Amino acid sequence: MLSMAQPHQARLHGRTVLSDETYEALVFDWDGTVVPDRQADAKGARKRVEALSDAGVHMFVVSGTHVENVDGQLQARPHGRGHLFLCCNRGSEVFRVTDEGPQLLYRRTASVEEDRALDLAAEQTVDRLRKQGLKARIVSNRLNRRKIDLIPEPGWADPKKADIGRLVDAVITRLAAVDICDLSEVVHLAATAAHTAGLADPRITSDVKHVEIGLTDKSDSARWAADWLVLRGITGQLILIGGDEFGPIGGATGSDSFMIVDALSRAPVVSVGVEPGGVPDGVTHLGRGPARFAELLDAQLDRRANRRVPQIDHDPGWVLPLPSPITQFRVAESLGWLGNGLAGTRGSLEEDGPGSTPLFLVGGVYDEEGQLLAGPVWTGFDPPMVHHRHAAHRLLDLRTGTLARGNPSGSGLRSIRFISAASPHAMALRAEAIAGHIEPGDPLRSPLDAQDFEREEIQGIDLAKTGPDDPGIAVAAEQHVTMVDDHHIVERLAAWATAPLGVDGPELAREYLQKAEALGFDALLAEHRCAWAQAWADAEVVIEGGHDNVAQDQLTARFAVFHLLASAAVNGEAAVGARGLTGHAYAGHVFWDADVFVLPALAAIRPASARAMLEYRIRRLPAARDLARAHGLAGARFPWESAGDGRDATPSQVLGLHGEMIPIATGAHEEHIVADVAWAAERYAAWTGDTTFLAGAGRDLVVDTARYWASRIRRDSAGRGHIDQLMGPDEYHQLVDDNAYTNVMARWNLRRGAALLTQTKDDPQEAETWRALADGLVDGWDPVRGLYEQFAGYFDLEPLVMREIGAPPLAVDMMLGAERIATSQLIKQADVLMLYHLVPDEMVSDSLGKSLAFYEPRTAHGSSLSPAISAALLARAGQPERALELFRLAARLDLDDLTGTTAGGLHMATMGGVWQALAYGFLGLRAETDALAINPSLPEEWSALGLRLTFRGRRVGVRAEHDSVTVRCDGPLSVRIGHRGPEQCEEPGRIFRITDAANPKEQ
């Protein structure tokens, strides 16, 4: 950290602040910082402020004086995207400056009792100083504060900031004459008087000449600014704080130091003042007063005019470093993926090179073979003369959805890219480096194994497309390449489009590009940050605790939520594949992963995306009905894998590691997806409170799937129902009879379908038939063992457990062979246990604990879907420490490439499972008919867990600690804490105390 004792380092740091970073917001003092005094001409400051507003920079003037003084001197009337706020009266007022002048946004008004206490405190302070021999007087009665003059002499009636050193000497000399050591003693005296007068939180400040007793100070202004900025994705290092009095003066705390609040703790701070007492650690002392501050403002204007690469806020709670070794390039590409729910691009290095797999995908756009169509690559550069692939330092900023590249020594290489969350067809990249270290080349390039790639340039605009005309993917791009000093600077704006037959895709992309160019890079980035801030406001995860691992738990949880938010559209339909849009693995096909793992999370954090996912299923009901008919059955059978048209896209065989062809049985036999789709529709309706969905557009998702099961079930001579020759979630055991998961889910599906038929007054006989089938369907429950048998004959298999094989996650089928595994009790993933997660009311009460004790030791967690579900169940069963182990396994599965498959794309089901483990497991959330149930179970390492979400139209925040639950809501909300009855929570929220007796865990 820098101080006056390190002037050389401070000057170097000053030049860095001046020229090497771009700031999105400036928070600064007025007197002594922008102007030397209140009589000075502020014309230069006015021009700079208005120019910065045009450039999109937000500014907060923080002053102790009233608004008329600041506005009367500045007289700025900004017209740009950047807002100007005047935070006046030492934290008591905030004004936004518009064409019509300052408009009041906030004012803290003292109560009658507080005004009396302020008067009394000031009078007592003056009286005590008088008794000690010092003549002082109350010189003003201002809003929320009282000002006492410590040197009421004509020669010091209106001292200038430039004379601060002399003023300090004069005041200290005056105080010393009456045995007062310095200003700190006066501040202490005033604080004592304020407390005696009844002020609970008095703010005592001093500008040397005066001591003030108030209800607010500059910290209130700074916190207001921070709160406003965070809602726009502007935090920490994106903000510059400037002032002239940060260090102690005459023993009193410098007034500008109050602007350094916790919310701005990472913001760089510069002082242009004299600072006779030095500056605190972390404050860069530049000196030279307003002239130096004007240079700072000019530097910001220059950086924006020259299209310099902006920075990110290096907040360790939000920024994820990507791996840099060459062996992990493809893993880093997956981890560094960016998307906006409609389209996504892998985090490939700009210069690509051997081993890279740059990829741009658009959701729901498949080629003729049913695989996601690769679009034109818009992030590629030519290989530079000097390579930096092995030294790339790249950071994924989860808060703002940006990927930033660092600065290898000597190259000056930096870049930032994003796919806009606000203008969804726009994409942008900026890069810079010393000449020779960057070669932009063509802005659009062919993807690997391109299909029908075409490229042309029209009037300086690059146009490219892949795939057939219907729909195909078109991208338009334009780049600006300039030299500033010795730096090569590249700005590339791009826009994508898909077009139905008869529409010119490249022309449509060019229209989107023109809209992006009209905004410009900086405006696109600003609105993109703001859109992400709004998304996080409804989805944030907070995990607190004193252990080193807890910060990583929070970061990995946020990583999961980031990908959930970025992977599904909010309008139309959303085809969320097993790897989302992060890679080519599984060809972008939609599995049960979407319905059971991803959708429940999105129903809570982005309900519109959950609805779009269901719309994908609704629009493919005709294909599902066709598939059922093809099998000689009724209703709708959704395929195990589907792509664009909803037909079965499951491959019949795949190529093995040794060149052999391996048959795939999932498409023919993993039928539980039929009930999974129905469950997803029900879960969406229950969580969101969308009462019209199941009676309307979503009805057939439940009814037609129930009709399928009614035709699929075989009844034996005793009237019991069976489902033969199928595969459950545990794919180690293929072609079994009466898989418990499938049968119980089918039973649930039949009962829910019958209820809908009754509700809509359809065929009552069909409803009764379904109920009877459901009641007679075997579910594998063994009352003697107190367990569900996973399938008929499972208990007779070899009783292998994982401790005899190795620590999960393991692909034990690869280790022991498929035949050996099929004759053992080892299972790939949660199967019976999955039922306790999805349909606990269908299970025998109080059986979860015993089922966990039996099945968890036999689970290899060979599927990425599995660990998070077990974590959720273990937490619910009162075993949070074991739950934490599996949560961490799930949360780091892709980050540490635990399965060796991350290079092919991220596992979206794992991301959804991580959120579900937090919500349904550790917080114990459940959507009940009359309330939001909350039954937390936290591991010892976590002192608190908080989630933001939406429940039945209410924006809700739930924070659990070991002895309390805090619920925040934007309207009336019924909640059930533990096993209590429903209780009402009113806006803004309520704290509920919990005890073991009142909050038993489910067993």
Side-chain angles (χ1 to χ4, degrees):
M1 308 302 284
L2 303 174
S3 70
M4 285 290 287
Q6 302 166 305
H8 179 64
Q9 293 183 39
R11 285 195 295 272
L12 289 176
H13 190 178
R15 283 203 294 272
T16 298
V17 170
L18 181 67
S19 61
D20 288 352
E21 297 297 351
T22 301
Y23 299 98
E24 308 303 322
L26 308 174
V27 179
F28 51 89
D29 172 58
W30 181 243
D31 297 349
T33 301
V34 181
V35 293
D37 53 62
R38 294 179 189 167
Q39 289 74 45
D41 183 1
K43 185 183 299 182
R46 178 167 61 254
K47 290 182 178 179
R48 291 183 176 91
V49 164
E50 291 177 347
L52 285 164
S53 169
D54 291 340
V57 181
H58 303 300
M59 292 157 285
F60 301 80
V61 178
V62 179
S63 176
T65 190
H66 53 82
V67 67
E68 289 80 6
N69 282 344
V70 178
D71 184 62
Q73 190 171 14
L74 179 58
Q75 296 182 18
R77 296 296 180 264
H79 297 89
R81 290 184 300 103
H83 295 330
L84 172 63
F85 299 95
L86 306 181
C87 306
C88 298
N89 269 316
R90 211 168 293 278
S92 287
E93 293 178 319
V94 178
F95 297 82
R96 179 187 169 193
V97 181
T98 69
D99 286 344
E100 299 177 358
Q103 309 295 313
L104 180 66
L105 298 181
Y106 165 80
R107 173 176 288 150
R108 164 76 158 92
T109 303
S111 66
V112 173
E113 292 77 12
E114 288 173 327
D115 264 331
R116 289 173 181 165
L118 285 170
D119 289 337
L120 180 58
E123 291 165 1
Q124 289 181 353
T125 300
V126 170
D127 185 57
R128 292 177 186 180
L129 289 172
R130 179 184 58 77
K131 289 178 178 178
Q132 201 157 338
L134 183 72
K135 179 182 177 182
R137 63 190 180 92
I138 302 171
V139 294
S140 65
N141 180 337
R142 292 187 175 179
L143 179 66
N144 300 330
R145 56 198 172 105
R146 305 295 182 265
K147 194 171 189 177
I148 301 168
D149 191 350
L150 300 178
I151 185 167
E153 299 176 358
W156 292 106
D158 189 14
K160 298 182 181 297
K161 284 294 183 81
D163 295 328
I164 189 68
R166 292 177 50 241
L167 176 61
V168 171
D169 291 340
V171 171
I172 295 299
T173 299
R174 198 163 189 272
L175 295 177
V178 295
D179 295 326
I180 297 177
C181 63
D182 58 21
L183 284 169
S184 65
E185 190 171 333
V186 179
V187 169
H188 177 73
L189 186 152
T192 301
H195 282 294
T196 301
L199 292 175
D201 182 25
R203 310 292 180 84
I204 314 300
T205 57
S206 175
D207 62 359
V208 181
K209 177 174 171 58
H210 307 97
V211 64
E212 288 192 15
I213 303 171
L215 304 179
T216 59
D217 58 32
K218 288 185 176 182
S219 69
D220 295 281
S221 298
R223 277 188 286 269
W224 191 95
D227 289 345
W228 189 91
L229 289 168
V230 75
L231 295 177
R232 288 146 184 86
I234 300 172
T235 57
Q237 290 161 287
L238 304 183
I239 305 164
L240 177 66
I241 301 175
D244 68 310
E245 289 182 2
F246 289 98
I249 302 179
T253 302
S255 63
D256 291 335
S257 68
F258 290 100
M259 292 191 289
I260 309 175
V261 295
D262 287 345
L264 299 178
S265 60
R266 290 182 312 282
V269 184
V270 296
S271 173
V272 296
V274 177
E275 301 285 9
V279 294
D281 286 345
V283 177
T284 299
H285 185 208
L286 303 177
R288 292 181 47 224
R292 181 60 160 143
F293 195 73
E295 292 175 0
L296 287 173
L297 302 186
D298 288 340
Q300 289 302 300
L301 290 170
D302 287 344
R303 285 190 63 82
R304 289 176 180 271
N306 292 327
R307 295 189 169 101
R308 301 301 294 268
V309 174
Q311 62 175 326
I312 64 169
D313 177 20
H314 293 234
D315 183 345
W318 289 94
V319 171
L320 181 76
L322 300 187
S324 58
I326 188 171
T327 56
Q328 293 184 283
F329 271 178
R330 292 187 62 207
V331 171
E333 289 176 341
S334 295
L335 298 177
W337 176 87
L338 298 173
N340 62 7
L342 294 174
T345 193
R346 280 171 66 85
S348 305
L349 291 171
E350 287 83 4
E351 60 270 34
D352 298 333
S356 292
T357 53
L359 185 63
F360 172 66
L361 298 170
V362 176
V365 180
Y366 296 89
D367 63 19
E368 294 176 351
E369 297 179 0
Q371 301 189 28
L372 280 175
L373 175 67
V377 175
W378 63 277
T379 56
F381 285 11
D382 288 346
M385 289 184 288
V386 182
H387 287 274
H388 299 286
R389 298 184 75 222
H390 308 309
H393 178 61
R394 296 189 297 158
L395 301 170
L396 176 63
D397 184 2
L398 304 174
R399 178 186 271 127
T400 64
T402 53
L403 180 62
R405 186 168 179 177
N407 186 359
S409 178
S411 72
L413 178 60
R414 299 174 62 169
S415 70
I416 191 169
R417 71 176 73 160
F418 60 94
I419 293 185
S420 177
S423 296
H425 289 270
M427 309 178 286
L429 179 152
R430 265 189 192 167
E432 64 178 68
I434 294 173
H437 293 261
I438 187 172
E439 297 292 339
D442 294 332
L444 297 178
R445 295 151 193 260
S446 172
L448 300 175
D449 303 321
Q451 296 185 29
D452 304 319
F453 178 76
E454 300 174 9
R455 178 180 173 272
E456 62 179 332
E457 181 179 335
I458 300 177
Q459 297 178 342
I461 305 295
D462 265 60
L463 300 171
K465 68 176 290 292
T466 57
D469 291 333
D470 184 16
I473 300 174
V475 177
E478 184 172 22
Q479 69 181 12
H480 299 271
V481 181
T482 56
M483 287 290 293
V484 176
D485 298 327
D486 59 347
H487 275 68
H488 209 169
I489 299 173
V490 181
E491 177 181 289
R492 183 178 295 170
L493 297 182
W496 65 271
T498 61
L501 192 63
V503 177
D504 187 335
E507 180 58 31
L508 183 58
R510 184 160 66 167
E511 291 177 12
Y512 286 133
L513 178 63
Q514 290 172 344
K515 293 178 181 178
E517 289 179 324
L519 285 171
F521 184 98
D522 291 328
L524 283 169
L525 179 56
E527 68 171 19
H528 170 73
R529 285 194 184 111
C530 189
W532 267 106
Q534 292 169 3
W536 281 113
D538 293 327
E540 188 172 350
V541 179
V542 175
I543 304 176
E544 298 174 1
H547 293 259
D548 293 340
N549 291 331
V550 176
Q552 281 298 304
D553 292 337
Q554 178 177 259
L555 182 63
T556 56
R558 287 173 172 171
F559 176 75
V561 174
F562 170 81
H563 281 284
L564 291 170
L565 293 171
S567 295
V570 296
N571 296 306
E573 66 175 41
V576 179
R579 303 297 181 94
L581 301 175
T582 65
H584 259 323
Y586 293 111
H589 291 176
V590 180
F591 294 71
W592 76 311
D593 306 40
D595 308 285
V596 171
F597 294 86
V598 176
L599 184 142
L602 288 175
I605 61 176
R606 184 166 276 184
S609 291
R611 179 62 181 83
M613 292 178 70
L614 289 169
E615 187 64 25
Y616 170 83
R617 293 298 192 187
I618 291 168
R619 295 181 184 182
R620 283 150 189 81
L621 267 167
R625 293 179 182 123
D626 289 343
L627 185 59
R629 280 194 295 271
H631 285 81
L633 299 170
R637 174 176 173 169
F638 286 96
W640 181 241
E641 300 182 33
S642 67
D645 58 15
R647 291 182 292 182
D648 189 358
T650 313
S652 59
Q653 55 186 2
V654 296
L655 188 66
L657 294 176
H658 306 292
E660 77 281 17
M661 297 307 297
I662 301 174
I664 300 297
T666 53
H669 300 291
E670 203 152 353
E671 299 171 62
H672 62 79
I673 191 171
V674 175
D676 298 333
V677 170
W679 181 88
E682 173 73 20
R683 174 51 58 102
Y684 165 79
W687 194 269
T688 64
D690 186 349
T691 56
T692 63
F693 177 71
L694 289 180
R699 175 185 179 278
D700 287 351
L701 292 179
V702 179
V703 171
D704 275 18
T705 49
R707 195 166 282 131
Y708 174 82
W709 294 119
S711 65
R712 176 70 169 88
I713 293 170
R714 172 184 63 83
R715 277 184 167 175
D716 63 19
S717 59
R720 292 173 301 185
H722 304 272
I723 306 179
D724 303 322
Q725 295 295 284
L726 69 152
M727 185 190 304
D730 168 29
E731 294 168 350
Y732 290 166
H733 297 90
Q734 303 183 9
L735 296 185
V736 301
D737 295 334
D738 289 330
N739 168 253
Y741 176 83
T742 305
N743 284 25
V744 173
M745 289 298 292
R747 182 176 70 192
W748 172 90
N749 198 166
L750 286 164
R751 288 171 174 168
R752 192 65 188 94
L756 272 179
L757 286 182
T758 301
Q759 178 183 331
T760 55
K761 298 180 180 180
D762 285 312
D763 186 352
Q765 184 57 50
E766 187 173 31
E768 285 306 311
T769 299
W770 291 359
R771 290 189 180 97
L773 280 170
D775 292 343
L777 188 58
V778 300
D779 61 7
W781 173 250
D782 184 333
V784 177
R785 286 186 170 92
L787 292 169
Y788 288 88
E789 186 175 28
Q790 182 171 301
F791 53 82
Y794 174 83
F795 286 148
D796 298 329
L797 300 178
E798 181 184 4
L800 280 180
V801 292
M802 282 304 297
R803 69 171 178 269
E804 301 172 26
I805 309 299
L810 283 179
V812 292
D813 57 333
M814 303 293 290
M815 297 174 60
L816 303 181
E819 293 183 6
R820 171 77 189 283
I821 289 299
T823 61
S824 79
Q825 290 182 354
L826 293 178
I827 61 178
K828 182 178 182 180
Q829 64 193 82
D831 194 301
V832 167
L833 292 177
M834 194 75 190
L835 291 167
Y836 290 95
H837 186 70
L838 300 186
V839 288
D841 292 340
E842 291 283 334
M843 309 302 283
V844 172
S845 61
D846 298 324
S847 62
L848 170 58
K850 195 167 184 178
S851 291
L852 277 167
F854 181 83
Y855 281 107
E856 183 58 30
R858 290 161 171 77
T859 305
H861 295 297
S863 166
S864 61
L865 284 61
S866 187
I869 299 304
S870 290
L873 293 173
L874 286 162
R876 273 178 47 198
Q879 302 178 51
E881 307 310 321
R882 173 60 179 150
L884 180 58
E885 294 177 18
L886 285 169
F887 169 81
R888 286 173 172 163
L889 179 63
R892 299 210 64 86
L893 188 135
D894 276 319
L895 291 168
D896 294 340
D897 194 18
L898 296 179
T899 62
T901 59
T902 300
L906 303 179
H907 297 80
M908 293 308 302
T910 304
M911 306 302 170
V914 165
W915 186 90
Q916 291 191 52
L918 293 172
Y920 305 149
F922 295 112
L923 281 184
L925 301 184
R926 186 175 176 186
E928 296 186 347
T929 303
D930 58 349
L932 172 63
I934 308 170
N935 190 15
S937 178
L938 301 186
E940 286 300 318
E941 289 187 35
W942 294 0
S943 60
L945 166 63
L947 295 181
R948 292 183 184 176
L949 48 93
T950 301
F951 180 73
R952 293 177 184 164
R954 295 287 183 219
R955 299 180 69 199
V956 180
V958 180
R959 175 185 171 88
E961 300 179 44
H962 287 279
D963 61 353
S964 67
V965 172
T966 301
V967 180
R968 302 290 180 192
C969 52
D970 64 356
L973 177 71
S974 181
V975 298
R976 186 191 306 275
I977 308 299
H979 292 268
R980 304 173 186 169
E983 301 175 76
Q984 196 70 6
C985 179
E986 301 287 344
E987 185 180 3
R990 181 177 171 186
I991 298 176
F992 300 87
R993 297 296 169 187
I994 55 177
T995 64
D996 291 339
N999 189 41
K1001 304 301 173 196
E1002 178 180 343
Q1003 297 299 318

